[in-house]
Amino acid sequence: MPNSAEGCGIYIHIPFCHSRCLYCAFYSSVGKSGLHSDYFEALKREAFERREWLLSHAPVRTVYWGGGTPSLPDARLIVDFMETLRQSLGDAFRPEEITLEVNPEDVDAQKLELWTKAGINRYSMGVQTLVPAELKSIGRRHTVEQVKEAAKLLRNAGDLSLDLICGLPHQTLDSFAYSLEGVLEMNPHHLSVYLLELEADTALTRLIKGGRLSVPDEEAVEQMYMLLCQRLKDAGFTHYEISNFALPGHHSRHNSAYWSGRPYVGLGAGAAGYLNSKLRCVNKPDLNSYISQGPTHELEHLTDTELSEEYILTRLRTCQGICLADYERRFGADMLRRLCANAKQHINAGNLVLDREKGFLRLSSPKACMLSDAIMVDLML
Ligand code: SF4
């Protein structure tokens, strides 16, 4: 069971973007470059406020810069922030992994030098697809050439993770395979492949609902996912979480710690963190008030039922699955009995595997991964 002796993580949210991608529901704003410096100053103040918490959960093992677009602001701001963190936390700051999410159009040698100076050793780049018409359909502004150039630079500077999306407008099995082969040629250490989510109130959802664009049907998306899993297995990647694949030793430590319940603090407007296993802290997504008054924290004390649901949602997504002994320790024998009873129909259908020897319940196959949402709902009954 994770405890403070295992350390903690820091998530930093950068809520700025060049433009709005049509499918995006993340908290972010466009055209606010004049606020970057002030925002980083506010981040430093929040990090200082969190100093005691960070020291009491030391060491800091991972840092994750997410967004928004963390590669957009002047890279010197990141260098300065990391230096402040190091000075403030001293020996307690020992991250083995510092990830920066980047957009291809932002990457150049000069920025890379500064990111390296800041200690960034892992890059997660949003590629999404290598087909120009598909990029255009979701409002991404980068080009395929920019992806290739950026990947070359980043590959030499640290671990490289590339993101793709499955189920885009215009996407076919062939075009998905083309993008997949293209990103494999860039020699990434890690791939994250997400199924397109049609979030409420995004421009893409409106276009699709209005009949002006369409997306591949479930069967087509399933074929893409099956192809993906097989191709990456052949290429030596471990499928360690529903959407994540890594070469040996290159899984995301930050996300894995999150899935295993290690605490982390979220800094920035709209950031969220788990201060302990039962306390979630969300910063109000309001850029201006974050800068002028600091974060407004919304604390959520999770009930046992919510914790159990969260546990099932995160653990079942991983290749190890749910550790039954750990589940019982946290939630008791009655809840475990209920979980096992709910799992029965899916074990009988071949979508869940109960590994009695190791005491884990997990998804059985890529096909079962595609059904995971429905399976999780049944397990949480
Ligand atoms: S770059 Fe990322 S955060 Fe920004 S609009 Fe696009 S998907 Fe959203």
Side-chain angles (χ1 to χ4, degrees), residues 17 19-21 23-24 26 67-69 103 140:
C17 287
S19 58
R20 193 85 186 148
C21 303
Y23 59 96
C24 181
F26 294 120
T69 309
N103 279 7
R140 295 292 296 205

Side-chain angles (χ1 to χ4, degrees), residues 31 90 93 195 212 227 282 289 368:
F93 191 70
L195 305 190
R212 293 168 59 199
L227 170 91
V282 183
S289 83

Side-chain angles (χ1 to χ4, degrees), residues 137-192:
S137 76
I138 52 171
R140 295 292 296 205
R141 58 199 289 280
H142 65 256
T143 65
V144 173
E145 270 318 302
Q146 284 172 323
V147 171
K148 290 181 182 168
E149 283 306 309
K152 243 186 258 166
L153 288 170
L154 297 173
R155 184 67 174 73
N156 292 325
D159 263 29
L160 176 61
S161 176
L162 300 176
D163 286 2
L164 285 179
I165 300 181
C166 213
L168 294 171
H170 308 304
Q171 201 171 40
T172 63
L173 185 59
D174 281 351
S175 76
F176 178 72
Y178 171 83
S179 293
L180 181 58
E181 289 307 319
V183 293
L184 283 175
E185 280 170 21
M186 297 171 200
N187 292 317
H189 303 91
H190 186 281
L191 281 171
S192 296

Side-chain angles (χ1 to χ4, degrees), residues 105-124:
E105 64 270 35
D106 294 329
V107 179
D108 61 38
Q110 207 182 349
K111 273 196 163 174
L112 197 54
E113 199 181 321
L114 288 163
W115 291 332
T116 303
K117 188 173 169 197
I120 309 292
N121 58 9
R122 182 173 184 273
Y123 295 91
S124 173

Side-chain angles (χ1 to χ4, degrees), residues 171-365:
Q171 201 171 40
T172 63
L173 185 59
D174 281 351
S175 76
F176 178 72
Y178 171 83
S179 293
L180 181 58
E181 289 307 319
V183 293
L184 283 175
E185 280 170 21
M186 297 171 200
N187 292 317
H189 303 91
H190 186 281
L191 281 171
S192 296
V193 185
Y194 301 102
L195 305 190
L196 179 69
E197 296 276 346
L198 291 178
E199 305 279 358
D201 207 27
T202 63
L204 187 64
T205 302
R206 284 193 292 277
L207 285 171
I208 288 168
K209 282 196 173 152
R212 293 168 59 199
L213 259 186
S214 62
V215 284
D217 61 21
E218 263 179 44
E219 198 183 325
V221 172
E222 186 179 317
Q223 285 178 352
M224 292 177 205
Y225 188 75
M226 303 299 274
L227 170 91
L228 167 79
C229 295
Q230 188 57 51
R231 180 66 184 94
L232 292 186
K233 189 176 174 193
D234 295 344
F237 285 76
T238 302
H239 188 181
Y240 72 104
E241 198 264 355
I242 287 181
S243 304
N244 288 285
F245 304 80
L247 290 176
H250 294 280
H251 63 283
S252 160
R253 284 166 177 75
H254 183 84
N255 288 339
S256 297
Y258 162 65
W259 296 321
S260 72
R262 185 186 292 162
Y264 68 99
V265 71
L267 305 178
Y274 272 91
L275 300 182
N276 64 44
S277 61
K278 295 189 174 186
L279 184 60
R280 190 171 133 87
C281 179
V282 183
N283 287 352
K284 200 170 155 198
D286 182 335
L287 182 58
N288 291 325
S289 83
Y290 181 81
I291 290 173
S292 60
Q293 296 157 36
T296 305
H297 303 302
E298 285 162 11
L299 295 176
E300 296 171 12
H301 294 269
L302 300 177
T303 63
D304 273 354
T305 305
E306 288 167 335
L307 286 168
S308 160
E309 289 176 0
E310 181 82 14
Y311 189 94
I312 291 169
L313 280 174
T314 48
R315 307 302 161 97
L316 201 65
R317 290 183 63 90
T318 66
C319 60
Q320 291 95 343
I322 296 170
C323 172
L324 299 178
D326 187 40
Y327 185 86
E328 183 176 17
R329 220 172 10 248
R330 288 165 188 256
F331 306 110
D334 283 351
M335 293 273 276
L336 177 65
R337 262 193 295 279
R338 181 133 58 102
L339 175 72
C340 291
N342 290 338
K344 223 171 204 167
Q345 55 170 316
H346 294 293
I347 294 171
N348 292 340
N351 292 322
L352 286 177
V353 173
L354 180 60
D355 182 338
R356 288 181 192 282
E357 203 179 308
K358 294 187 182 138
F360 278 82
L361 180 69
R362 59 178 166 77
L363 294 165
S364 62
S365 63

